[in-house]
Amino acid sequence: MIITIHVAAARNGVIGKNGTMPWHQSSDLKRFKAETFGKPVIMGRRTYESIGRALPGRLNIVVSRKPDFAAEGVEHATSLEAALDKARATGAQQACVIGGAALYAEAMDIADRLHVTHLEAEIADGDTFLKAIDPTVWKVIEEHRVDPDEKDDYPMRFTVYARK
Ligand SMILES: NC(=O)c1ccc[n+]([C@@H]2O[C@H](COP(=O)([O-])OP(=O)(O)OC[C@H]3O[C@@H](n4cnc5c(N)ncnc54)[C@H](OP(=O)(O)O)[C@@H]3O)[C@@H](O)[C@H]2O)c1
């Protein structure tokens, strides 16, 4: 099973602010759905709360250290490794780590690919950041620029990194 990270980040590394994403990027949401649909998605408890419901068409695994965490339509795991085991147990070929910051940082050590939407913007006052993508570890294998449509705040690049 390969492990992939899916994240949208501003130039200054911001991925979140006040428990949500500080932008509207419809093109990124479409990309996210296309890349994750039908696959297990693994997220931190705060990211789950920010989404507010299970993402349809995907096994949702929420990571929380709270032993009694439970929510409708999602599975619970107490660690990233336990979440990956749950995904593996379904026979999935790919597990998608979809945030937030702590899970990304931990998953970056073991992930096979990073699917990053680079927003061409600096976002002020962000409070949640993506760890820098180390160019000695990761190489770009796909990249294309996306001009914003009327439902996107910023231009962006869709970039896929593979471990060197
Ligand atoms: N731009 C993007 O692509 C993107 C994607 C996702 C999220 N976000 C943003 O990121 C922010 C939320 O991220 P966050 O970093 O604050 O929180 P988070 O990673 O979503 O959730 C943190 C919580 O997850 C649990 N957790 C994390 N790592 C764990 C581990 N290794 N083992 C067990 N439990 C673990 C803990 O839950 P308990 O406290 O319950 O134990 C922890 O408090 C929001 O602003 C959201 O909008 C952005």
Side-chain angles (χ1 to χ4, degrees):
M1 185 180 77
I2 68 158
I3 299 166
T4 53
I5 282 178
H6 302 259
V7 60
R11 279 193 193 125
N12 54 345
V14 170
I15 63 165
K17 181 174 171 179
N18 298 331
T20 185
M21 284 193 273
W23 48 70
H24 296 283
Q25 293 290 122
S26 165
S27 300
D28 175 54
L29 296 179
K30 283 188 200 138
R31 178 197 192 195
F32 175 80
K33 186 174 180 189
E35 289 178 344
T36 60
F37 202 79
K39 299 167 187 162
V41 290
I42 298 172
M43 72 200 89
R45 193 252 313 155
R46 285 195 213 124
T47 293
Y48 167 71
E49 284 174 356
S50 136
I51 300 169
R53 65 188 168 100
L55 292 168
R58 286 149 277 196
L59 169 64
N60 287 236
I61 306 172
V62 177
V63 179
S64 166
R65 292 185 182 87
K66 295 176 183 168
D68 56 349
F69 175 88
E72 200 181 325
V74 309
E75 302 250 339
H76 169 222
T78 53
S79 67
L80 175 60
E81 212 32 70
L84 291 168
D85 285 344
K86 276 187 190 274
R88 269 188 211 100
T90 68
Q93 308 277 301
Q94 181 183 348
C96 306
V97 176
I98 63 163
L103 271 198
Y104 285 142
E106 198 179 333
M108 259 203 209
D109 291 338
I110 52 169
D112 298 283
R113 299 218 167 161
L114 314 176
H115 293 248
V116 185
T117 297
H118 289 287
L119 303 188
E120 303 288 17
E122 305 271 333
I123 303 292
D125 306 328
D127 57 23
T128 316
F129 293 83
L130 183 69
K131 192 170 94 170
I133 298 170
D134 182 347
T136 67
V137 176
W138 299 100
K139 65 176 179 217
V140 173
I141 57 165
E142 275 176 51
E143 182 163 65
H144 67 278
R145 202 189 136 79
V146 181
D147 288 326
D149 67 23
E150 70 283 357
K151 291 184 185 158
D152 296 318
D153 287 345
Y154 306 108
M156 68 213 104
R157 280 175 292 126
F158 287 171
T159 307
V160 181
Y161 298 83
R163 194 173 281 286
K164 280 185 172 171

